[in-house]
Amino acid sequence: MLSRLKTITAGMLLAGTMLAQAGPAQAETTMKVVMHSDVKILDPIWTTAYIVRNHGYMIYDTLFSMDEKGEIKPQMVDTYTESPDKLTYKFTLRDGLLWHDGKPVTSEDCIASIKRWSAKDPVGQKLMTFVDAITADDAKSFTVKLKSPTGLLIFGLGKPSSNVPFMMPKRVAETDPNTQISEFIGSGPFVLKQDEWKPGDKIVYTKFKDYKPRAEPASGLAGGKVAKIDRIEWLAVTDQQQAVNALLAGEIDMIEQPAFDLIPLLKDDSNIKLWNYNPLGLQYTMRFNHTQPPFDNPKVRQAVTYALNQKDFLEATVGNPEYYQVCKAMFVCGSPLASEKGMDGLLESNFKKSQELLKEAGYDGKPVVLLHSTDLQSLTNLGPVAKQLLEKGGFKVDMQSSDWQTVVSRRVRKDPIDKGGWNLMQTSWVSADILNPVMAGFFNASCDKAAFGWPCDAEMEKLRDDFAREPDPAKQKAIAEAVQMRWREVVTHVHLGQYNVPIATRKNITGILTAPAPVFWNVEKK
């Protein structure tokens, strides 16, 4: 018995010594976040919805990325070369890139991902008109051969926002781009905990321990993607007051887009920090379904540009001029291509002019279906304002309300109105998505290949081609103004004002990056 007691005591002493040497266990850090929307779709190529883009940045990586200065930098790519004639580019991937299932990232994976992305994205579609071939040289290197020079290749592969050219395993990337993927394996800094994903409740990500970040510091969407938080939970909370109360009480750590009328409460609390992470902000937009009457008639679309005005939308959604600006420039006020050429008289609620155009167009008074999102604070008030202004301009409006994810699913359908189709919907775009005619997907007028709404105009497409081929910034601006003038005739969409919304966090959250999208690498919870 004494011998056994000595053995047990010695074992306890040994265990104690080992614990002392190991030191205190590192507590797992968890960050609880309320994003601007619930996550119900997980394919960032199938949809342009920003919540799905944000999800994409959690689990996927990109070949190139945009830094804080707006410059495109290598990300998954280690080195690349450009031939003197600018027609051949060779890319070599970094060492140590792994998918979340442990398999290495290969050039074949990247080629398949580029092809799927380019089938959906307006920059990718335009880029592929210049591409002759993309071939794998070996497991880590591939070559892109162009038919003619373009600046779209490197820029496109580092496109910062929807649709982002996220890299996926070849077997996933070979999914038809018009069909949602069913496997969610990335190579990014976080892993999706699919078993904990409960739409309407939460989605969970954990740190990918085998992720190998770049050596340089994080900058914008580029640089070292160092995950400093072990577990991140995005909680589905639609009540903004509830979300703000939870942040003030320390029950959550961050709100991506706090309601503008509640920001003063946050400003007054010393435990809260507001981050202006996206200085150029966003732009509200109305989109037409060009395949369905009456918006298959350009005069009817022109009537909308006279019926609407930006300030009414901005006052209803933002309210505080500190966070918005009336901006008629199609390519964003504050950017190099900003111009108001051709915008005289538009977006000033000239109801008489709108009514005259509708009469000329032969509008029969049939109600137009306006899709109205009810669960996103930033979008909820757009629909009622649009309905009121359009009706004053001579339209009859059937505003159909639903949650945002239903709008996202419905807007991709071309069904006739009497079979669940739509005429108008409203959304917002990050300014980084609309800085030039090729990036701005709503200018894509390539008919069936265009984004939802499907405008069709050969002259607009020629101007976008001209822009893609032109390296001179001064000439690019002239082409952008020509696009704006052509837009006045064909009206692919209508922009409804520019705004900015800060991220709100507890003060112990640090490392929020300045970028077109909210990202969670580099973020710490102290």
Side-chain angles (χ1 to χ4, degrees):
M1 182 71 179
L2 181 61
S3 173
R4 184 182 175 200
L5 181 61
K6 286 181 178 179
T7 302
I8 293 172
T9 304
M12 291 173 66
L13 289 170
L14 178 60
T17 301
M18 291 175 68
L19 284 171
Q21 290 174 347
Q26 184 73 29
E28 181 181 80
T29 54
T30 298
M31 185 175 178
K32 296 180 183 290
V33 181
V34 172
M35 299 296 283
H36 73 271
S37 175
D38 185 22
V39 182
K40 295 181 180 177
I41 297 169
L42 295 178
D43 186 345
I45 305 303
W46 185 82
T47 180
T48 58
Y50 284 147
I51 192 63
V52 189
R53 173 207 63 187
N54 297 349
H55 153 76
Y57 272 116
M58 297 296 286
I59 70 171
Y60 300 111
D61 214 343
T62 56
L63 295 172
F64 290 81
S65 292
M66 180 181 284
D67 70 9
E68 186 175 338
K69 297 178 181 178
E71 298 175 358
I72 303 297
K73 302 290 186 180
Q75 187 60 40
M76 294 171 71
V77 166
D78 182 22
T79 60
Y80 72 99
T81 60
E82 175 188 285
S83 63
D85 62 4
K86 300 185 184 302
L87 292 179
T88 303
Y89 290 76
K90 293 184 177 292
F91 302 92
T92 300
L93 300 174
R94 292 194 289 122
D95 291 332
L97 298 179
L98 296 175
W99 299 114
H100 294 160
D101 60 7
K103 296 177 182 177
V105 177
T106 70
S107 54
E108 292 281 6
D109 296 321
C110 297
I111 291 170
S113 297
I114 292 169
K115 289 180 178 178
R116 185 169 192 264
W117 160 76
S118 65
K120 293 284 284 189
D121 181 76
V123 173
Q125 290 172 355
K126 191 62 65 179
L127 167 61
M128 292 306 284
T129 65
F130 291 86
V131 172
D132 183 38
I134 308 178
T135 54
D137 302 322
D138 54 45
K140 285 181 52 185
S141 302
F142 64 96
T143 297
V144 177
K145 291 186 178 293
L146 301 178
K147 302 170 188 173
S148 58
T150 177
L152 288 183
L153 178 58
I154 302 302
F155 174 82
L157 296 179
K159 185 173 184 278
S161 192
S162 296
N163 297 94
V164 179
F166 291 120
M167 295 297 106
M168 301 178 181
K170 182 174 183 286
R171 66 182 183 277
V172 179
E174 287 180 335
T175 304
D176 185 303
N178 294 309
T179 300
Q180 293 186 47
I181 59 173
S182 57
E183 187 180 1
F184 312 105
I185 300 291
S187 64
F190 296 95
V191 177
L192 171 67
K193 292 283 291 177
Q194 193 168 349
D195 60 329
E196 295 190 57
W197 175 41
K198 299 176 181 177
D201 181 17
K202 67 180 178 180
I203 188 167
V204 178
Y205 306 90
T206 56
K207 179 164 64 176
F208 180 34
K209 292 180 171 52
D210 292 328
Y211 181 78
K212 183 179 179 181
R214 295 188 68 88
E216 60 267 30
S219 174
L221 301 170
K225 297 182 177 180
V226 180
K228 300 179 180 181
I229 295 179
D230 299 298
R231 177 183 172 93
I232 297 175
E233 300 179 1
W234 290 2
L235 308 178
V237 179
T238 58
D239 186 322
Q240 279 286 309
Q241 185 67 65
Q242 180 184 350
V244 167
N245 289 344
L247 185 65
L248 292 172
E251 296 168 357
I252 63 173
D253 301 293
M254 171 180 152
I255 301 175
E256 181 199 357
Q257 292 186 6
F260 288 105
D261 60 339
L262 298 176
I263 287 178
L265 289 176
L266 299 171
K267 278 186 171 182
D268 288 343
D269 193 306
S270 60
N271 292 309
I272 304 300
K273 183 173 182 179
L274 297 176
W275 302 77
N276 183 19
Y277 76 101
N278 179 23
L280 275 181
L282 304 96
Q283 187 184 82
Y284 282 125
T285 308
M286 174 179 281
R287 183 67 159 173
F288 308 102
N289 184 345
H290 293 244
T291 70
Q292 299 296 321
F295 295 108
D296 55 348
N297 185 327
K299 278 198 174 181
V300 175
R301 302 194 297 269
Q302 290 168 19
V304 173
T305 68
Y306 284 97
L308 304 182
N309 74 84
Q310 293 186 347
K311 189 170 184 181
D312 283 359
F313 288 102
L314 294 168
E315 277 293 315
T317 54
V318 181
N320 186 345
E322 179 182 352
Y323 296 106
Y324 77 71
Q325 69 178 120
V326 172
C327 172
K328 289 187 178 184
M330 299 297 296
F331 301 111
V332 185
C333 290
S335 74
L337 296 182
S339 169
E340 295 203 356
K341 184 175 181 179
M343 303 305 295
D344 293 345
L346 303 184
L347 298 175
E348 296 175 4
S349 287
N350 184 340
F351 301 125
K352 182 180 178 182
K353 179 66 174 177
S354 174
Q355 293 165 10
E356 290 173 354
L357 284 168
L358 289 181
K359 186 176 180 180
E360 291 175 21
Y363 171 58
D364 60 5
K366 187 175 181 180
V368 297
V369 172
L370 169 65
L371 303 184
H372 171 224
S373 169
T374 57
D375 63 333
L376 295 192
Q377 172 267 332
S378 62
L379 301 181
T380 299
N381 291 340
L382 292 176
V385 173
K387 176 177 169 63
Q388 181 183 54
L389 295 177
L390 289 169
E391 288 178 342
K392 288 182 178 179
F395 290 90
K396 288 185 180 178
V397 180
D398 175 12
M399 187 172 74
Q400 299 185 7
S401 302
S402 65
D403 63 64
W404 175 241
Q405 296 302 322
T406 300
V407 173
V408 168
S409 298
R410 190 173 171 186
R411 71 186 183 182
V412 299
R413 294 162 49 187
K414 295 182 180 179
D415 301 329
I417 302 304
D418 60 357
K419 297 186 182 299
W422 61 280
N423 293 120
L424 298 165
M425 61 84 59
Q426 292 167 290
T427 185
S428 68
W429 284 96
V430 169
S431 293
D433 275 331
I434 47 180
L435 294 177
N436 68 52
V438 177
M439 290 178 69
F442 280 177
F443 284 97
N444 183 342
S446 59
C447 311
D448 287 344
K449 292 183 179 180
F452 58 89
W454 310 282
C456 195
D457 185 67
E459 185 174 336
M460 180 68 82
E461 284 304 285
K462 179 184 181 303
L463 288 169
R464 294 177 69 241
D465 282 339
D466 292 344
F467 187 93
R469 290 187 172 88
E470 182 52 64
D472 186 311
K475 292 180 180 177
Q476 282 185 338
K477 183 156 188 174
I479 295 170
E481 289 184 337
V483 167
Q484 196 159 288
M485 295 297 291
R486 182 59 183 167
W487 167 87
R488 181 166 181 150
E489 299 300 316
V490 298
V491 196
T492 51
H493 60 290
V494 183
H495 56 309
L496 304 175
Q498 206 164 312
Y499 71 103
N500 185 287
V501 56
I503 281 175
T505 70
R506 300 288 297 179
K507 70 177 181 181
N508 64 328
I509 300 296
T510 63
I512 301 289
L513 293 165
T514 300
V519 292
F520 289 84
W521 60 83
N522 200 58
V523 177
E524 289 186 83
K525 182 178 179 180
K526 297 183 176 179

